[in-house]
Amino acid sequence: MGNQVNLEEIYGQNVFTLAKMKERLPKNVYKEVVEVLENGGDLSRESADVVANAMKNWAIENGATHYTHWFQPLTGITAEKHDSFVTNAGADGKMLTSFSGKELIKGEPDASSFPSGGLRATFEARGYTAWDITSPAFLKESGAGVTLCIPTAFCSYTGEALDKKTPLLRSMEAINKQALRIVRLFGNTKATKVNVSVGPEQEYFLVDWDKSMKRPDLIFTGRTLFGAPAPKGQEMEDHYFGVIRERVGEYMKDLNEELWKLGVPDKTQHNEVAPGQHELAPIYETANIAVDHNQIIMETMKRVAEHHNMRCLLHEKPFAGVNGSGKHDNWSLCTDDGVNLLDPGDTPNKNVQFLFVLSCILKAVDRHADLLRQSASDVGNDHRLGADEAPPAIISVFLGEQLDDVVKQLIETGEAKKSKKGGRLKTGVSTLQEFEKDATDRNRTSPFAFTGNKFEFRMVGSSDSMASPNTTLNTIVAEAFCEAADELEKADNFDMAVHDMIKANLTEHERIIFNGDGYSDAWVEEAERRGLPNIKSTIEAAETLTTKKSIDLFEKFGVFTQTELEAREEVIYETYAKTINIEALTMIDMASKQIIPAVAKYSGSLARDINEIKQAGADASVEQEILVEISKELKAMKKALDQLIKDEKKAGSIAECKKRAFFYKDTVVPTMAKLRAPADKLEMLVDKKEWPFPTYADLLFEG
Ligand code: ADP
Ligand code: MG
């Protein structure tokens, strides 16, 4: 085989790793970098200059011409503004390059057009990017050549966060501080840090590029706004874990190579439930690096797809009637001396520290279910959450049989005497090797599931940044730890106090535990009886950011100020309104310029056929029936189209952002559905040759 890869050789090739720094930096500077990496603080100006120069030389040796401060504005994706390394030509006409410590540490991309929710009025529009030394710089190869990307945070002149990374870093510091208090109380004197580990599983669709270019909806909105279901959907479940098609296999091979070069520890890949849908999961990493890497994964997925003449769709619901895409946020806490605080061991009933941590997490999730749900919301995800293919919009926690049993014992008697065991897996075939089963089976319908040694938050949308869900999770758990530590540090009898606290937390927050079928209607009713919030949409969820409870929480742990929260709420309304506006305009465009003319043309030719058939003395009643049906649907379509045009005008006249967003949700979105329904029926009535763009079958099965 000619095109094999040497994994060890290419892994991290495009990353300015610590190993590369060690090779290229003077010993004292390298030591200073490691010190800052481990304990925070600032690099001295002189050292920053040395690091910047080494970084530049490495980048140029590898073909880079430009550098960029790579940041994550509130659009949910990443942004970059490229500057070249060129300074000026020397007297001899030779090009000189430079890159100073100052340029490494601080950038000022004007970037005032990014959403800021009013944090940046134009007269005070300064925005700075600041180097995140904990996330390594990397080289991006693209059509624009090779660019040195420096991961940064993005803040306003007055220090308010304008991005998704700053609050994430703040929340990691908050949980580190509180979790350290907890491990100290349990007698660990060695650990100096508690890290958040995050492993995101990313789902995506691939469709043929040329076909996608014939659909304005895919081009402008990343999802189909019209489309009748294909004759075959996902009912045979033959795509899930199915053999990967050759074209997709080649794509995955390239994608893996690109990601490995960028130091992304991408590990598993398989086909997903829906036709054309796939999944990729990297190995977990420290939260901010995992979040950066997830952004790199999404960008690289799109870029590599183009090389294979395909389009990668990251939208949460690209096709009606088949599963949408999500992103599972696997989350745990590990001390720097190697203890995973979420590892129950073989006998969780005896693992007091684990039970304590678990009880704090249950308390946090129950108390802030609204914020957690908010953190996983975006416009596209409104199509998924609560529709039987993704977790419901109601937050609950799945513990599994073993832990559920331990929790019940604790609540009932204050003591857990035993842990259920998994037992041996027996297949009834003597030649298959027997092995120890997990103590708990899986539950795929739970939004927040315990899976062995981590929680899996499954609500996050496929196109969304992982920053918000992890920021929220870190902060709400930090709060529960903080409250516990405040009490336990004062306790005379620690063992007794912990014991009582576990029981109290579990008893008080038992309502958040649900091990049943999250897709059932019975659960929706049951959840309501339990008083669990069921927040239906992104913009309803946005309001939870600025409740007193939320402001108190985020301000206490220095993650968001009230002003920042208000700004974020505003950005959500803005983004929602803009997104639906684009979708509605695209529908209007496709309906009036493509679908209606095609249907009119077809009905004209059908009418002529009918006359000819009649003249020939034959029976044209079937053709006539079809024609009547077509004109009925066409009429319905025209009516809905006129309504949508009116609604759009009205929406545009609403000045206040929140009101406008709600008008889009309550009025424009239902009219869009009214326009789609007859159009999808017409697709089934009109000659396929006349249909103006590729259908679901074309996109999902013949891509
Ligand atoms: P599952 O089968 O439960 O989905 P996998 O082993 O496939 O679990 O892992 C899914 C994701 O969870 C991967 O990204 C993996 O690296 C990550 N993961 C595994 N252990 C942890 C952990 N302790 N903390 C955070 N993420 C983890
Ligand atoms: Mg999983």
Side-chain angles (χ1 to χ4, degrees):
M1 295 270 281
N3 55 352
Q4 284 172 345
V5 284
N6 182 335
L7 183 51
E8 279 176 26
E9 216 172 89
I10 66 165
Y11 193 81
Q13 182 180 304
N14 288 352
V15 185
F16 197 57
T17 53
L18 261 186
K20 290 195 183 86
M21 289 202 226
K22 193 169 183 187
E23 263 170 42
R24 288 168 180 263
L25 295 175
K27 258 207 182 85
N28 61 324
V29 177
Y30 175 74
K31 257 179 72 185
E32 204 184 317
V33 169
V34 173
E35 168 68 23
V36 174
L37 266 177
E38 281 172 3
N39 302 316
D42 294 320
L43 273 190
S44 68
R45 199 23 127 357
E46 298 74 42
S47 297
D49 278 334
V50 177
V51 174
N53 196 51
M55 210 185 255
K56 180 205 77 177
N57 289 341
W58 167 76
I60 289 179
E61 279 164 35
N62 287 284
T65 51
H66 289 70
Y67 71 91
T68 181
H69 274 196
W70 187 74
F71 60 105
Q72 303 173 20
L74 298 180
T75 51
I77 53 172
T78 61
E80 44 197 73
K81 177 183 149 208
H82 297 183
D83 284 300
S84 83
F85 290 117
V86 172
T87 39
N88 53 9
D92 55 358
K94 201 166 172 289
M95 187 70 77
L96 294 178
T97 61
S98 83
F99 183 51
S100 68
K102 195 172 144 218
E103 287 166 306
L104 168 64
I105 290 170
K106 185 190 107 182
E108 195 182 343
D110 172 34
S112 53
S113 303
F114 287 115
S116 75
L119 278 183
R120 294 178 76 189
T122 35
F123 64 88
E124 48 178 8
R126 265 179 202 276
Y128 291 114
T129 47
W131 182 28
D132 172 11
I133 191 172
T134 60
S135 184
F138 58 93
L139 296 176
K140 186 149 102 180
E141 297 169 300
S142 70
V146 181
T147 305
L148 170 67
C149 296
I150 299 147
T152 56
F154 181 41
C155 296
S156 76
Y157 185 71
T158 42
E160 276 125 356
L162 294 171
D163 67 349
K164 303 235 171 189
K165 170 171 259 188
T166 309
L168 174 67
L169 293 172
R170 292 173 182 163
S171 75
M172 288 165 67
E173 290 193 5
I175 198 165
N176 170 45
K177 190 167 155 202
Q178 302 306 330
L180 266 180
R181 290 173 74 191
I182 300 298
V183 298
R184 287 281 181 273
L185 281 165
F186 279 90
N188 182 336
T189 49
K190 282 192 301 216
T192 59
K193 202 168 182 184
V194 178
N195 278 310
V196 182
S197 301
V198 167
E201 302 165 61
Q202 174 75 47
E203 291 180 330
Y204 61 101
F205 277 85
L206 289 174
V207 294
D208 180 76
W209 179 267
D210 298 334
K211 283 179 188 155
S212 80
M213 287 304 281
K214 295 196 177 113
R215 295 204 51 138
D217 48 4
L218 288 181
I219 297 172
F220 296 124
T221 73
R223 75 177 182 104
T224 55
L225 299 167
F226 294 102
K232 178 179 167 183
Q234 62 196 46
E235 61 278 45
M236 304 293 285
E237 313 230 313
D238 50 355
H239 189 258
Y240 190 48
F241 279 35
V243 177
I244 294 167
R245 291 204 332 256
E246 196 66 4
R247 184 177 183 190
V248 173
E250 283 164 17
Y251 165 80
M252 286 178 172
K253 176 173 178 292
D254 263 10
L255 177 63
N256 286 337
E257 262 175 65
E258 289 298 308
L259 290 174
W260 288 331
K261 279 201 263 176
L262 289 163
V264 178
D266 138 28
K267 170 93 175 154
T268 56
Q269 59 197 25
H270 59 77
N271 286 350
E272 260 303 328
V273 178
Q277 192 187 29
H278 311 280
E279 181 188 291
L280 179 146
I283 296 170
Y284 66 92
E285 299 175 280
T286 303
N288 64 317
I289 297 176
V291 170
D292 283 0
H293 279 172
N294 180 250
Q295 292 286 358
I296 293 180
I297 289 173
M298 293 195 285
E299 277 179 47
T300 311
M301 280 180 164
K302 289 193 202 160
R303 189 164 51 76
V304 174
E306 282 190 47
H307 295 168
H308 291 259
N309 204 37
M310 293 192 284
R311 186 189 288 271
C312 170
L313 303 175
L314 292 173
H315 194 283
E316 285 75 11
K317 192 73 182 176
F319 301 97
V322 284
N323 271 8
S325 301
K327 179 143 53 191
H328 291 177
D329 179 7
N330 292 275
W331 179 93
S332 73
L333 296 169
C334 300
T335 64
D336 59 352
D337 64 341
V339 182
N340 177 354
L341 302 186
L342 287 169
D343 187 354
D346 290 335
T347 47
N349 62 312
K350 292 187 196 143
N351 189 340
V352 179
Q353 180 178 302
F354 168 78
L355 291 173
F356 170 78
V357 168
L358 179 72
S359 79
C360 288
I361 294 176
L362 288 172
K363 174 181 179 180
V365 173
D366 184 30
R367 188 192 271 170
H368 298 295
D370 55 343
L371 288 176
L372 210 49
R373 191 264 181 257
Q374 189 286 320
S375 75
S377 64
D378 69 23
V379 192
N381 224 5
D382 280 2
H383 297 282
R384 276 178 80 233
L385 300 181
D388 294 354
E389 49 154 302
I394 306 161
I395 296 266
S396 64
V397 180
F398 170 81
L399 289 180
E401 212 180 310
Q402 188 189 44
L403 283 185
D404 195 48
D405 175 59
V406 169
V407 166
K408 285 215 171 82
Q409 294 176 54
L410 283 166
I411 292 175
E412 273 159 29
T413 66
E415 236 182 312
K417 294 222 166 78
K418 56 177 187 4
S419 293
K420 287 188 175 176
K421 289 272 177 275
R424 308 285 292 172
L425 183 79
K426 298 216 166 59
T427 59
V429 180
S430 63
T431 50
L432 288 178
Q433 306 299 296
E434 246 185 51
F435 56 83
E436 197 72 31
K437 283 195 295 189
D438 293 305
T440 289
D441 201 1
R442 284 173 180 275
N443 172 314
R444 301 206 172 274
T445 64
S446 174
F448 199 82
F450 185 73
T451 47
N453 61 359
K454 61 188 183 330
F455 272 102
E456 190 169 333
F457 183 32
R458 302 193 178 125
M459 265 189 173
V460 188
S462 51
S463 73
D464 210 359
S465 158
M466 297 285 289
S468 301
N470 287 298
T471 302
T472 302
L473 206 43
N474 295 345
T475 314
I476 64 176
V477 176
E479 181 193 50
F481 282 167
C482 176
E483 286 171 356
D486 285 349
E487 229 179 276
L488 293 175
E489 281 164 0
K490 287 187 295 212
D492 296 328
N493 184 336
F494 174 74
D495 291 344
M496 195 93 120
V498 169
H499 174 271
D500 290 349
M501 195 179 278
I502 294 176
K503 184 168 182 212
N505 281 349
L506 294 178
T507 311
E508 214 171 301
H509 301 285
E510 193 187 6
R511 66 170 188 170
I512 198 73
I513 303 172
F514 177 62
N515 291 303
D517 177 5
Y519 294 171
S520 69
D521 293 335
W523 167 234
V524 177
E525 286 160 28
E526 165 69 15
E528 200 179 327
R529 271 196 296 280
R530 293 190 192 184
L532 300 177
N534 183 1
I535 306 172
K536 303 257 167 46
S537 71
T538 294
I539 52 176
E540 283 156 290
E543 295 169 323
T544 66
L545 284 175
T546 48
T547 58
K548 180 165 183 318
K549 174 173 80 87
S550 166
I551 295 168
D552 287 350
L553 166 79
F554 286 117
E555 289 207 325
K556 176 168 181 192
F557 293 94
V559 174
F560 287 115
T561 61
Q562 179 169 349
T563 319
E564 286 171 337
L565 287 166
E566 284 163 357
R568 263 151 229 257
E569 184 186 349
E570 192 72 8
V571 169
I572 294 168
Y573 299 135
E574 226 177 273
T575 309
Y576 186 89
K578 280 184 185 161
T579 308
I580 306 293
N581 178 44
I582 294 171
E583 291 187 351
L585 292 179
T586 306
M587 281 190 101
I588 292 171
D589 206 70
M590 290 172 82
S592 30
K593 293 190 197 148
Q594 292 185 287
I595 304 177
I596 292 176
V599 175
K601 190 168 154 221
Y602 180 68
S603 34
S605 76
L606 196 56
R608 283 189 293 278
D609 289 351
I610 291 168
N611 280 338
E612 276 177 33
I613 295 169
K614 277 189 182 158
Q615 264 167 27
D619 174 17
S621 59
V622 174
E623 288 81 353
Q624 213 145 11
E625 224 175 275
I626 295 173
L627 186 58
V628 169
E629 219 175 313
I630 288 179
S631 60
K632 184 181 124 218
E633 298 304 337
L634 192 58
K635 227 179 185 168
M637 222 188 131
K638 180 68 172 61
K639 193 171 159 216
L641 176 63
D642 291 343
Q643 184 62 44
L644 189 56
I645 293 170
K646 246 195 235 153
D647 290 351
E648 262 295 309
K649 235 196 205 135
K650 174 91 194 291
S653 72
I654 304 173
E656 205 219 319
C657 217
K658 182 172 179 180
K659 273 212 186 106
R660 190 162 66 247
F662 274 89
F663 182 81
Y664 272 109
K665 176 175 92 63
D666 296 328
T667 307
V668 177
V669 168
T671 310
M672 284 164 65
K674 277 193 201 133
L675 176 58
R676 178 175 182 149
D680 290 358
K681 281 193 198 144
L682 284 165
E683 190 190 316
M684 302 303 288
L685 295 167
V686 169
D687 185 348
K688 179 161 168 40
K689 288 200 292 287
E690 303 295 333
W691 201 249
F693 38 74
T695 63
Y696 273 26
D698 297 332
L699 288 166
L700 289 171
F701 291 94
E702 290 155 35

